[in-house]
Amino acid sequence: MRKTMVLKWMGVLGFLAGIVFGGMNFTSATKNSGDVEWNGKQLSTLEVNGKPYVPAEELAQASGSELHKKRNHYTVSSRLDRIMKKGVIRVGTTGDYKPFTFYNTNTKKFEGYDIEAAEIMAKDLGVKVKFVKTSWPTLMNDLLADKFDMAVGGISRNTERQKTAQLTRPYMNEGKAPLIRMEDKEKYTSLQAIDQPGVTIGVNPGGTNQKFVDANIKRAKVVVVENNLEIPHMVAEGKVDVMITDSTEAMYYASQDKRLYAALTDNTFTKSQKGYLIPRGDSVFENWVNLWMDEMELQGEFTRLKEKYIYNKQSK
């Protein structure tokens, strides 16, 4: 009975009994009050001869992987294998951040730069894509709950997110830049030129735009506008003079309205990058996604998407 139990359960502290991991890179586990914590998830344990074991099924589920048994060996495959076996990749996205992700209420479909990129990824995998609606406050928890295999849609790479999940290589560099009127392009050529009495800056509350404005604007007038989508129109109509936002967003709105101009996009006030978010601990899946992104860059696909969705230039 005990021999059967040992074969059924897999040790995590110090060794994994009878288990072959197909190239996966697992973080070390720790024992806590009788439970094992793996990548922030509590797994139930069973002690055999004073050593803790966790069910193979639980570890596979926690990693979003498939569990295979052949004779007395268990193999936990990569999420990549599961995706190809099921024939679908689940992609989480917020649908509220143009030009990366936008939910079209008329067509009932997601659109945007990262939406098309995800569709290309699914095609290259030979599977279908299923978009899963999420939100910025629940994005990380939804990923950890295995509601989707990866998240896309203008996700900024930062160390805080990397603590909990895995960020891919970057596919776009950006930073804070001013959106102004075309007629003022020779006037607002620096942050110092913007931060002057008589200049009005529109900003949405609670985000990184307001954090930057609060930290750097000392002389200009700041108007807080609840709805971020209204500010570009306010700039165009002369109700405010400047909107400081992500350079990609500034370029998008400038491409949509000839009255607007995205300034200093080649020399942004801050530096940041966009990437995709995947569960950590699966080097096989991570390596495939990063290589796919390298190929997208090499073949000019990311450039094409940038031209289409940010600069509003349709290919002939």
Side-chain angles (χ1 to χ4, degrees):
M1 179 68 178
R2 175 163 291 181
K3 182 178 179 180
T4 302
M5 185 69 72
V6 170
L7 291 174
K8 175 69 175 177
W9 297 75
M10 139 178 109
V12 174
L13 297 179
F15 67 97
L16 298 171
I19 296 198
V20 179
F21 290 94
M24 297 190 67
N25 180 21
F26 289 95
T27 58
S28 60
T30 57
K31 186 181 179 184
N32 183 17
S33 302
D35 289 331
V36 167
E37 183 176 323
W38 181 80
N39 278 350
K41 297 180 181 180
Q42 294 291 328
L43 307 180
S44 61
T45 62
L46 174 70
E47 285 200 7
V48 178
N49 293 332
K51 296 179 179 179
Y53 291 79
V54 298
E57 292 88 347
E58 281 199 28
L59 186 56
Q61 184 178 15
S63 65
S65 307
E66 292 284 340
L67 179 67
H68 308 284
K69 179 183 178 183
K70 187 175 182 180
R71 296 181 181 178
N72 290 328
H73 290 273
Y74 289 89
T75 300
V76 179
S77 62
S78 167
R79 180 178 295 267
L80 178 64
D81 299 316
R82 187 182 79 168
I83 290 169
M84 292 189 295
K85 181 180 178 181
K86 292 184 176 296
V88 62
I89 181 169
R90 302 165 302 159
V91 178
T93 192
T94 61
D96 64 352
Y97 184 19
K98 293 181 178 181
F100 298 101
T101 174
F102 172 68
Y103 184 72
N104 190 323
T105 56
N106 294 323
T107 63
K108 308 298 182 183
K109 292 181 179 180
F110 288 96
E111 302 171 355
Y113 181 111
D114 284 326
I115 301 305
E116 185 169 341
E119 292 171 343
I120 296 172
M121 177 185 286
K123 182 179 179 181
D124 290 343
L125 278 168
V127 301
K128 296 180 180 179
V129 60
K130 178 182 179 182
F131 292 107
V132 180
K133 184 74 167 65
T134 185
S135 66
W136 293 109
T138 64
L139 177 69
M140 187 64 73
N141 287 337
D142 288 346
L143 178 72
L144 297 178
D146 195 33
K147 293 184 178 181
F148 37 80
D149 301 302
M150 67 184 303
V152 308
I155 298 172
S156 296
R157 286 162 42 92
N158 57 53
T159 54
E160 190 62 31
R161 287 188 170 121
Q162 186 70 16
K163 291 178 183 177
T164 312
Q166 178 68 46
L167 286 155
T168 66
R169 54 144 287 189
Y171 64 88
M172 185 180 295
N173 296 324
E174 64 166 13
K176 297 301 178 188
L179 179 67
I180 61 178
R181 288 183 292 279
M182 179 64 75
E183 62 192 57
D184 292 331
K185 63 182 296 185
E186 302 300 330
K187 181 178 181 180
Y188 301 126
T189 56
S190 66
L191 184 61
Q192 182 179 3
I194 292 171
D195 189 19
Q196 295 294 329
V199 178
T200 303
I201 299 173
V203 66
N204 60 307
T208 57
N209 292 346
Q210 186 178 36
K211 288 181 180 179
F212 178 86
V213 168
D214 289 346
N216 295 278
I217 300 300
K218 307 302 180 183
R219 306 178 70 190
K221 179 181 178 181
V222 177
V223 176
V224 177
V225 182
E226 288 294 329
N227 187 351
N228 186 62
L229 297 175
E230 295 179 1
I231 305 177
H233 303 292
M234 294 175 66
V235 174
E237 294 168 2
K239 296 180 179 178
V240 298
D241 300 305
V242 180
M243 174 188 187
I244 295 179
T245 185
D246 292 334
S247 55
T248 47
E249 186 177 24
M251 289 186 288
Y252 167 75
Y253 282 112
S255 72
Q256 301 294 311
D257 191 330
K258 294 181 179 180
R259 295 174 296 174
L260 297 175
Y261 178 72
L264 304 174
T265 54
D266 292 332
N267 187 27
T268 55
F269 301 142
T270 62
K271 306 295 181 184
S272 60
Q273 296 175 316
K274 299 297 187 187
Y276 300 135
L277 194 66
I278 61 176
R280 67 182 183 182
D282 188 341
S283 61
V284 174
F285 185 44
E286 177 190 352
N287 289 339
W288 189 92
V289 173
N290 281 328
L291 180 58
W292 174 84
M293 295 177 74
D294 288 339
E295 284 294 310
M296 287 282 285
E297 188 73 43
L298 183 64
Q299 301 303 326
E301 282 296 283
F302 279 141
T303 299
R304 180 185 66 80
L305 293 176
K306 194 172 184 178
E307 292 286 324
K308 178 179 178 179
Y309 290 100
I310 297 176
Y311 298 117
N312 197 29
K313 295 180 181 179
Q314 299 297 327
S315 58
K316 297 181 180 179

